[in-house]
């Protein structure tokens, strides 16, 4: 297959601004190339990936969807990099079999019927905005199968009839299994209210088990409040570390605490933890509730119940760490991810009805 990947619009690739979807795009591109397909990536200028075929497009970045209100109108900056990337895609589309959209933005969905090639849309977050929900629903109705999510619970926030579920995956060779943890817990992620770090620190205080915190501080005020409220010898903030350094700390922890206050679309940190053999204790909410096998690879507890997080932490030795690693190998390897995406792309290309729809222009 000849594939054109059109990137997220909130940051050049390699800057981390695109969050989890940067990693996802990178992994799928590598997998498709390894499987003999041709891949070209269209991304905002100043992208730093040097080992994948990139076309760099200038223009102004989109505002991140998480910062907008549900009822906000669609916003496009002047000289929009999103619009410029999709104008490029329009010009070259005849050279490709399939276009893949990685942006969580209104425009690519609206443009779908104007293209002569099918577009596969990977939706990387739960429902956040009414205008976007509506256009996604329209594309799902006219071009069934072309809307892809990571989890069923994420898909449910859009209430569509037809869609595809792709889960996610990571390069397991980057994570080393450890079966002799230290007396410490881990918390990973962007430090901002919806990720619920304060709950994990509360667990550390009650159990008196030190907490290792890694990730980008996105909400300074929220972080300050935690530092003022809890004794600082209880937790250690290690910063936003590259994968290798992060997993060196994570792998030696008794458990990863997941405290999402929103519907996490997937939860890459959950499969990173399992890959190290570290069980995950999480609220039964969002993607983690679909990834963790309660009692086997961790525990799922009543959302927002700190006492249940504590009880699960005290029972964590019931979980076999090798089982955690094996579950990552079975479901979340790059090969498993690549197979799911290759199957999705072939389903779309193989669908005569879809092809006829796009070819009518
Ligand atoms: N916001 N407007 C917009 N467009 C995106 O592509 C986007 C975003 N916010 C976050 C984001 N992408 C990714 O970091 C997550 O989907 C993973």
């Amino acid at each position: 297959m000849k594939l054109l990947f059109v990137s997220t619009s909130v940051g050049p690739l390699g800057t981390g601004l695109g969050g989890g979807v940067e990693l996802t795009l990178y992994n799928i591109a590598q997998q498709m190339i390894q499987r003999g397909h041709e891949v070209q990536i269209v991304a905002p200028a100043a992208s730093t990936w040097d080992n994948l075929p990139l076309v760099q497009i200038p223009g102004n970045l989109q505002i991140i969807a998480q910062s907008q209100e549900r009822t906000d109108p669609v916003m496009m900056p002047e000289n929009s990099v999103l619009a410029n990337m999709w104008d490029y895609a329009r010009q070259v589309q005849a050279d490709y079999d399939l276009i893949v959209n990685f942006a969580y933005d209104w425009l690519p969905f609206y443009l779908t019927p104007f293209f002569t090639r099918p577009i596969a849309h990977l939706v990387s977050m739960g429902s956040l905005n009414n205008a976007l929900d509506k256009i996604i629903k329209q594309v799902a109705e006219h071009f069934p199968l072309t809307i892809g999510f990571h989890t069923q619970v994420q898909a449910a926030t859009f209430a569509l009839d037809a869609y595809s579920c792709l889960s996610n995956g990571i390069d397991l060779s980057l994570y080393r299994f450890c079966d002799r943890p230290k007396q410490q817990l881990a918390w990973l992620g962007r430090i901002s209210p919806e990720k619920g770090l304060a709950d994990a620190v509360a667990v550390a205080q009650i159990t008196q088990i030190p907490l290792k915190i890694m990730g980008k501080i996105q909400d300074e005020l929220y972080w300050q409040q935690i530092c003022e409220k809890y004794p600082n010898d209880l937790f250690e903030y290690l910063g936003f570390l590259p994968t290798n350094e992060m997993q060196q700390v994570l792998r030696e922890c008794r458990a990863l605490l997941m405290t999402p206050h929103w519907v996490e679309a997937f939860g890459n940190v959950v499969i990173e933890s399992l890959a190290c053999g570290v069980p995950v204790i999480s609220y039964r909410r969002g993607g983690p509730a679909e990834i963790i096998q309660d009692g086997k690879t961790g525990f799922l507890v009543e959302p927002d119940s700190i006492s249940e997080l504590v009880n699960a932490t005290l029972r964590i030795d019931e979980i076999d760490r090798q089982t955690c690693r094996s579950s990552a190998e079975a479901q979340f390897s790059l090969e498993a991810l690549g197979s799911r995406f290759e199957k999705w792309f072939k389903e779309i290309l193989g669908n005569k009805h879809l092809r006829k729809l796009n070819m009518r222009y």
Side-chain angles (χ1 to χ4, degrees):
M1 295 181 280
K2 294 182 190 160
L3 303 166
L4 185 68
F5 284 10
V6 187
S7 166
T8 173
S9 57
V10 291
L13 292 172
T15 61
L17 285 171
V21 82
E22 266 192 55
L23 187 67
T24 302
L25 195 161
Y26 186 87
N27 287 337
I28 298 162
Q30 283 222 327
Q31 273 297 306
M32 291 307 122
I33 291 167
Q34 271 179 33
R35 292 158 185 259
H37 302 298
E38 199 183 304
V39 175
Q40 178 70 271
I41 302 170
V42 187
S47 292
T48 59
W49 290 355
D50 49 15
N51 59 334
L52 288 175
L54 273 186
V55 173
Q56 311 237 10
I57 302 288
N60 295 316
L61 299 175
Q62 286 298 113
I63 300 166
I64 62 165
Q66 304 95 302
S67 67
Q68 295 183 276
E69 297 305 321
R70 171 159 287 286
T71 52
D72 275 353
V74 175
M75 304 225 256
M76 293 290 286
E78 160 263 334
N79 185 28
S80 153
V81 69
L82 180 69
N84 296 342
M85 287 196 290
W86 281 93
D87 188 46
Y88 174 82
R90 176 187 60 78
Q91 293 172 48
V92 300
Q93 61 182 313
D95 301 338
Y96 298 91
D97 301 310
L98 178 70
I99 301 169
V100 187
N101 168 40
F102 288 84
Y104 188 89
D105 288 288
W106 181 86
L107 185 67
F109 294 95
Y110 176 73
L111 290 176
T112 301
F114 293 81
F115 272 69
T116 62
R117 288 292 180 277
I119 303 176
H121 295 279
L122 178 67
V123 179
S124 58
M125 291 187 287
S127 159
L128 287 176
N129 172 276
N130 293 343
L132 191 49
D133 288 4
K134 192 150 174 47
I135 197 74
I136 288 175
K137 200 170 186 70
Q138 270 179 253
V139 171
E141 278 156 14
H142 294 111
F143 302 89
L145 299 180
T146 65
I147 304 291
F149 295 105
H150 288 300
T151 59
Q152 298 292 348
V153 64
Q154 175 204 4
T157 64
F158 292 91
L160 307 180
D161 298 332
Y163 58 86
S164 300
C165 212
L166 289 308
S167 183
N168 212 334
I170 49 174
D171 182 349
L172 294 171
S173 69
L174 302 178
Y175 303 84
R176 225 154 42 84
F177 175 72
C178 162
D179 63 359
R180 307 186 60 74
K182 294 176 180 165
Q183 182 67 344
Q184 59 191 38
L185 297 168
W187 188 92
L188 295 178
R190 262 180 314 107
I191 296 177
S192 84
E194 77 275 7
K195 296 277 189 177
L197 171 59
D199 298 4
V201 178
V203 170
Q205 184 177 48
I206 297 166
T207 59
Q208 286 299 302
I209 303 174
L211 180 68
K212 302 291 179 187
I213 300 168
M214 290 170 275
K216 202 170 282 207
I217 298 180
Q218 186 166 56
D219 185 321
E220 216 27 82
L221 182 67
Y222 178 67
W223 174 240
Q224 284 316 320
Q225 285 165 343
I226 291 172
C227 293
E228 277 148 24
K229 183 174 177 186
Y230 293 96
N232 290 12
D233 61 347
L234 211 54
F235 56 88
E236 184 185 7
Y237 174 57
L238 299 168
F240 177 69
L241 303 178
T243 301
N244 183 43
E245 287 169 58
M246 179 279 284
Q247 66 91 31
Q248 278 172 26
V249 176
L250 173 59
R251 63 192 292 274
E252 294 190 326
C253 292
R254 305 275 306 286
L256 171 76
L257 295 177
M258 274 295 277
T259 51
H261 287 176
W262 69 331
V263 173
E264 193 74 45
F266 185 74
N268 286 333
V269 297
V270 174
I271 59 178
E272 291 186 292
S273 185
L274 297 177
C276 295
V278 180
V280 184
I281 298 167
S282 174
Y283 292 145
R284 191 185 304 280
R285 179 184 278 150
E290 244 173 77
I291 300 167
I292 298 159
Q293 297 162 55
D294 192 21
K296 269 178 65 79
T297 57
F299 293 114
L300 292 170
V301 305
E302 173 66 28
D304 307 324
S305 163
I306 289 172
S307 60
E308 286 221 12
L309 286 176
V310 169
N311 296 340
T313 302
L314 300 176
R315 291 174 50 203
I316 202 62
D317 287 341
E318 292 172 25
I319 304 293
D320 172 51
R321 293 171 73 92
Q322 182 55 56
T323 304
C324 296
R325 170 75 195 190
S326 307
S327 84
E329 287 166 352
Q331 292 177 272
F332 306 116
S333 68
L334 280 187
E335 294 67 33
L337 176 74
S339 298
R340 289 192 288 267
F341 272 84
E342 188 179 46
K343 178 171 174 287
W344 181 37
F345 295 161
K346 287 183 172 173
E347 267 170 11
I348 294 173
L349 288 181
N351 186 307
K352 286 184 295 299
H353 167 67
L354 273 179
R355 246 206 330 278
K356 193 158 49 56
L357 270 175
N358 280 106
M359 293 312 287
R360 72 168 179 249
Y361 284 91

